[in-house]
Amino acid sequence: GKVPKTSPPSFTIRTFLTLAFFYVCLLNSMKRGGSSVLKKSVRSSKRVRGLAQKGNKISRSEGLSTTQIKTLHNSLFKLLDSKSTASNKKWFENYLKNQISFRGLKMGEVRKVVFQWHKENKLAEISGENQLRLVSSLFEAKNAEDKLAASIYIQEILLKKDLVECEKVFEFVEAAFNENHIFDWSTCDWICMKLLRTLVQSEGKPMAEKLVKWTDNLENKWKARAGIVWSAGFHARKCGDEKYEWVLPLLLKGMESLITSEWRFHQTACSWILCDITQSSKRPDAVGFMEENIKSFSVEAIRRGSRKLPSSKHKSLISKHKKATNN
């Protein structure tokens, strides 16, 4: 009989068969070590990445690579080491009872190095947010001066020149506390003086409320301390002024939480702020707080908190504390 005629495959079927054929060929080629085209593509990609990592020029809009951040950090560390002394290192570590390691520089020397580093590396050429990310990661460093350098840079360069939003700075600082990168009183208090106080001066009551809320969680010890220490030396002493009338209620609220803690650095935080308040027109409020919470104070805290009061009142509070605690 006659063989029946068959029609040629349709265009769609031919296309499918052709693609399948090339796919099989590609798989076989990859099993044998890959085609020369693929090898060239991979080599080219690696070469581009390598050049990007080695290049000195930093894009203003793009984020810094891990390599660039590490390189910039190392250049800062070398500058800090060049100004350090063994005697300073020993003194600071003894004073802090080896809570944290030091390179061996005083605050003024760290500040000079920060501005030198900023200038030599042309960091002004990159965005403020990139600069913030670069220096905020210094809080993760092990040495006290590295963390102090971050505080100085953020306050005196980024915030002073309005290169970053206060809310962004707040987020990075809070993260540093939450991730336990702040673990000594020196670093904690420098952050309070350099950064948190500046944020409150800029943003006012809303920022202060966010900080005082940190005292709600006493387990995050240093963060809770920072929740009121930002006010030391300025806001606490100004709380009697009409401009800062909102400060006192917030501080009293924060101290109501902190004073229930027996941890020394929570106690001394309260005594520091109370001593400042006694130097304002709100002295009676500070005295009232100490009298109402007399049993919760340590001997050290009640002495420090009342030391700027008239001698008779100072002695009276110490006497009341002694009777209340049988000490």
Side-chain angles (χ1 to χ4, degrees):
K2 292 183 179 180
V3 178
K5 293 182 179 180
T6 57
S7 58
S10 67
F11 175 78
T12 302
I13 296 175
R14 289 200 306 272
T15 302
F16 173 78
L17 291 173
T18 301
L19 290 174
F21 172 78
F22 279 111
Y23 179 71
V24 171
C25 291
L26 178 61
L27 288 176
N28 290 332
S29 175
M30 292 177 68
K31 289 179 180 179
R32 292 193 299 269
S35 68
S36 60
V37 174
L38 286 173
K39 288 181 179 178
K40 288 180 181 178
S41 176
V42 171
R43 284 197 298 267
S44 176
S45 176
K46 287 182 178 179
R47 184 165 60 250
V48 170
R49 288 199 301 270
L51 289 172
Q53 291 174 351
K54 292 177 182 178
N56 292 323
K57 189 171 182 179
I58 303 172
S59 168
R60 178 172 178 80
S61 58
E62 295 180 2
L64 299 174
S65 69
T66 302
T67 302
Q68 287 172 325
I69 291 174
K70 185 176 180 180
T71 299
L72 288 167
H73 281 181
N74 286 338
S75 69
L76 173 63
F77 299 156
K78 287 180 181 178
L79 285 173
L80 289 169
D81 283 337
S82 70
K83 305 294 183 182
S84 65
T85 67
S87 59
N88 280 340
K89 174 181 172 65
K90 182 178 179 180
W91 191 91
F92 282 122
E93 289 181 347
N94 286 340
Y95 186 62
L96 269 291
K97 297 182 179 179
N98 295 304
Q99 279 188 310
I100 188 171
S101 60
F102 282 80
R103 293 182 184 274
L105 293 86
K106 296 179 181 179
M107 197 279 281
E109 295 166 330
V110 176
R111 185 178 182 276
K112 289 179 182 178
V113 166
V114 164
F115 280 91
Q116 181 183 350
W117 178 62
H118 175 263
K119 182 178 180 180
E120 289 181 356
N121 289 279
K122 300 180 179 179
L123 297 180
E125 295 180 5
I126 66 175
S127 69
E129 188 166 343
N130 278 338
Q131 291 181 62
L132 179 60
R133 291 183 183 279
L134 168 66
V135 296
S136 292
S137 56
L138 289 170
F139 287 130
E140 301 174 23
K142 68 175 184 177
N143 293 303
E145 291 93 341
D146 307 346
K147 300 173 190 287
L148 175 57
S151 295
I152 293 172
Y153 192 107
I154 295 171
Q155 184 208 26
E156 299 192 28
I157 295 177
L158 298 181
L159 288 174
K160 188 175 182 179
K161 297 181 180 179
D162 291 324
L163 296 176
V164 291
E165 296 178 358
C166 288
E167 184 61 31
K168 283 289 183 183
V169 174
F170 173 83
E171 290 173 3
F172 276 101
V173 173
E174 184 173 41
F177 278 108
N178 289 342
E179 294 165 13
N180 298 315
H181 298 313
I182 314 303
F183 48 81
D184 69 287
W185 67 261
S186 176
T187 303
C188 175
D189 294 356
W190 273 121
I191 288 175
C192 291
M193 299 298 100
K194 285 287 182 185
L195 296 183
L196 302 185
R197 177 194 291 176
T198 303
L199 295 183
V200 174
Q201 286 176 329
S202 175
E203 302 296 299
K205 185 179 179 181
M207 179 60 70
E209 288 175 332
K210 292 170 71 171
L211 293 174
V212 170
K213 194 167 180 60
W214 287 0
T215 62
D216 291 346
N217 180 13
L218 298 180
E219 292 183 4
N220 193 331
K221 293 182 177 181
W222 294 110
K223 184 180 179 183
R225 175 182 169 88
I228 63 169
V229 170
W230 57 266
S231 69
F234 183 78
H235 288 91
R237 294 182 185 181
K238 297 283 187 180
C239 65
D241 297 359
E242 183 177 352
K243 181 180 178 180
Y244 298 107
E245 61 184 4
W246 48 267
V247 171
L248 182 64
L250 288 177
L251 295 181
L252 292 175
K253 180 181 179 181
M255 288 189 290
E256 284 175 1
S257 176
L258 280 186
I259 201 62
T260 63
S261 168
E262 295 181 357
W263 190 51
R264 184 190 177 213
F265 291 102
H266 286 166
Q267 289 278 326
T268 55
C270 292
S271 65
W272 188 0
I273 303 309
L274 285 166
C275 183
D276 278 353
I277 295 174
T278 62
Q279 298 173 68
S280 75
S281 61
K282 297 296 182 179
R283 174 186 290 178
D285 295 87
V287 173
F289 183 88
M290 285 185 270
E291 290 177 336
E292 290 172 15
N293 298 278
I294 198 78
K295 289 184 179 181
S296 298
F297 280 83
S298 66
V299 174
E300 178 187 24
I302 199 69
R303 286 182 179 276
R304 288 190 175 190
S306 61
R307 65 190 177 88
K308 293 291 183 178
L309 292 172
S311 179
S312 58
K313 192 61 183 178
H314 173 61
K315 291 178 180 179
S316 173
L317 282 169
I318 293 174
S319 177
K320 288 180 180 179
H321 179 267
K322 188 174 182 179
K323 290 179 181 178
T325 60
N326 295 318
N327 287 328

